[in-house]
Amino acid sequence: MRSFFKDISLSAATAGFVAVLVGFTSSVTLVFQAAQAFGATPAQTTSWMWALGLGMGLCSLVPSLILRQPVMVAWSTPGAAVLASAGLAGGYSMGEAVGAFMVCACLIALVGATGWFERAMHRIPAAIASALLAGVLARFGIQAFAAAQTALPLVALMLLSYLLARRFLPRYAVVLTLAVAVAYAAFRGQIAVSQMRFEWAVPVFTAPQFSLSAFIGLALPLFVVTMASQNLPGVAVIRASGYPLPVSRLITMTGLATLVLAPFGGYALNLSAITAAMCMGPEAHEDRSRRYTAAVACGALYVVVGLFGAVVTGLLTAFPQELVIAIAGLALLGTIGGGLATALREDAHREAALITFLVTLSGVVIAGVGSAFWGAMAGVFTLFVQQYGRRTRGA
């Protein structure tokens, strides 16, 4: 068996860094808002970053090394949004929030242990899963070019760099594009290094308090959005990428990790979709058997995020927002194209896949549940209407 250090490459390490950069900067503000909604002190907010960083890092790094396949775990972004709004509206204490995190963790672990979620996902046709993946990722592609409205020179330079690299050095297209973008931003003085503060993150324990109101108002909504808006597209990415990962055991792992880290602010861990696509795609490595190194690199960086807290927070948020958005969209172009090609390949599933893609891309939120869930449901419903009873009548 080849060692990790023989398998790692510059493109894989860069894919891991871009995944952390995008995953962290795109939603860290929501996490801060969620913590503050429960009256978190600055020390408790830092503890949340410590718990989430270590949780995401170890749950990505360790299984990836063991399985030699890319395993990507992230915090629940829609869960943070739910907590931020529910915390302000409900007046819950930090202890009640921690109790709700632990209940949610038990529910996630239970779902993983029973295996019903994985079985349900396997009943969804590959075309629907690929369309779901393309719909989730296409928003990042659109945003990459929309960023030109506020940073045209930067985005145009990144696009030109990407296209030239794809032609002459395709393996390092994302690496070179990121390097050019950082150099340009640094030359223009657009990297806010003053935001960095050098200090260690210290975990703060909060004793859980359990109440019926927190169960109904926090735990259940957090569980529903984490499963429907995070784990569902996460499994879709795994299926579309073709990795035979033990999904049920991985979901159980995220639930148990959340249970352990909840008293320190680890509110919900789940399978990743956006950042997983970055580490499972061909941009990470041409050899799919070596792409696990991108997930390991990502996990290691998340651990650093957790340990150094404010230092890494300042470093990652120092980059211009347009740079982060553009590099995410360009890094995902290949995966978006592959997902659409698979989704629209078969005539029998094409319309259902197209509806799945459009509903998911719309970003619609109904009853607090995101568009990934409703896209999958719309596609399955379309297939049911179009194909139910056909074989029976044909026989």
Side-chain angles (χ1 to χ4, degrees):
M1 181 183 293
R2 293 173 299 185
S3 68
F4 166 77
F5 292 104
K6 290 181 63 176
D7 289 340
I8 189 70
S9 66
L10 178 60
S11 60
T14 302
F17 173 76
V18 172
V20 173
L21 177 65
V22 173
F24 191 87
T25 57
S26 63
S27 57
V28 68
T29 303
L30 274 177
V31 176
F32 289 159
Q33 290 175 346
Q36 292 167 2
F38 300 109
T41 64
Q44 286 176 320
T45 302
T46 301
S47 179
W48 278 46
M49 299 312 303
W50 176 89
L52 292 169
L54 261 63
M56 293 186 297
L58 295 177
C59 287
S60 299
L61 187 156
V62 176
S64 296
L65 282 175
I66 293 174
L67 299 173
R68 287 295 192 269
Q69 298 179 64
V71 175
M72 294 291 289
V73 171
W75 62 47
S76 176
T77 299
V82 166
L83 293 175
S85 60
L88 291 173
Y92 301 102
S93 67
M94 182 63 76
E96 288 179 306
V98 168
F101 301 164
M102 297 179 72
V103 171
C104 174
C106 291
L107 292 175
I108 293 174
L110 180 63
V111 166
T114 58
W116 73 263
F117 185 76
E118 183 176 7
R119 290 194 296 271
M121 284 299 300
H122 279 302
R123 295 180 67 87
I124 297 178
I128 301 299
S130 297
L132 174 66
L133 167 64
V136 170
L137 302 183
R139 288 201 298 271
F140 283 80
I142 293 172
Q143 291 170 3
F145 296 102
Q149 292 180 337
T150 54
L152 178 58
L154 173 62
V155 175
L157 178 62
M158 293 177 69
L159 178 59
L160 177 62
S161 301
Y162 177 81
L163 294 176
L164 291 174
R166 286 290 295 172
R167 178 174 178 178
F168 298 107
L169 292 169
R171 183 175 175 180
Y172 301 103
V174 176
V175 178
L176 294 173
T177 303
L178 178 62
V180 169
V182 172
Y184 176 83
F187 176 76
R188 295 291 302 272
Q190 296 175 340
I191 298 180
V193 293
S194 61
Q195 297 182 29
M196 290 185 286
R197 292 182 293 110
F198 293 91
E199 58 184 47
W200 287 86
V202 178
V204 177
F205 178 84
T206 301
Q209 299 176 14
F210 301 95
S211 67
L212 180 60
S213 62
F215 172 76
I216 296 174
L218 294 179
L220 284 182
L222 179 60
F223 168 73
V224 170
V225 299
T226 297
M227 295 303 300
S229 300
Q230 292 284 135
N231 279 327
L232 190 150
V235 175
V237 172
I238 293 172
R239 288 191 59 194
S241 302
Y243 287 100
L245 289 170
V247 170
S248 293
R249 282 188 285 168
L250 293 176
I251 291 177
T252 303
M253 174 194 70
T254 62
L256 295 177
T258 301
L259 184 63
V260 172
L261 295 170
F264 304 98
Y267 63 90
L269 300 173
N270 48 251
L271 299 177
S272 172
I274 311 303
T275 54
M278 295 177 180
C279 293
M280 292 181 179
E283 286 78 10
H285 204 287
E286 294 177 345
D287 185 352
R288 59 181 291 107
S289 68
R290 297 173 65 180
R291 293 175 192 167
Y292 78 94
T293 57
V296 173
C298 178
L301 289 171
Y302 271 134
V303 171
V304 173
V305 168
L307 293 177
F308 287 92
V311 180
V312 183
T313 299
L315 174 63
L316 294 179
T317 56
F319 291 100
Q321 184 180 14
E322 291 86 356
L323 185 154
V324 176
I325 293 172
I327 197 64
L330 293 173
L332 290 169
L333 284 180
T335 306
I336 296 170
L340 284 174
T342 302
L344 303 178
R345 182 177 301 155
E346 298 180 18
D347 291 342
H349 294 158
R350 183 169 298 161
E351 192 166 29
L354 184 58
I355 289 174
T356 299
F357 171 75
L358 292 175
V359 173
T360 305
L361 179 61
S362 72
V364 63
V365 178
I366 302 174
V369 178
S371 61
F373 174 78
W374 299 116
M377 293 301 99
V380 170
F381 178 74
T382 301
L383 278 182
F384 176 81
V385 172
Q386 291 180 335
Q387 300 185 7
Y388 179 75
R390 279 189 172 183
R391 292 183 181 177
T392 302
R393 289 195 297 270

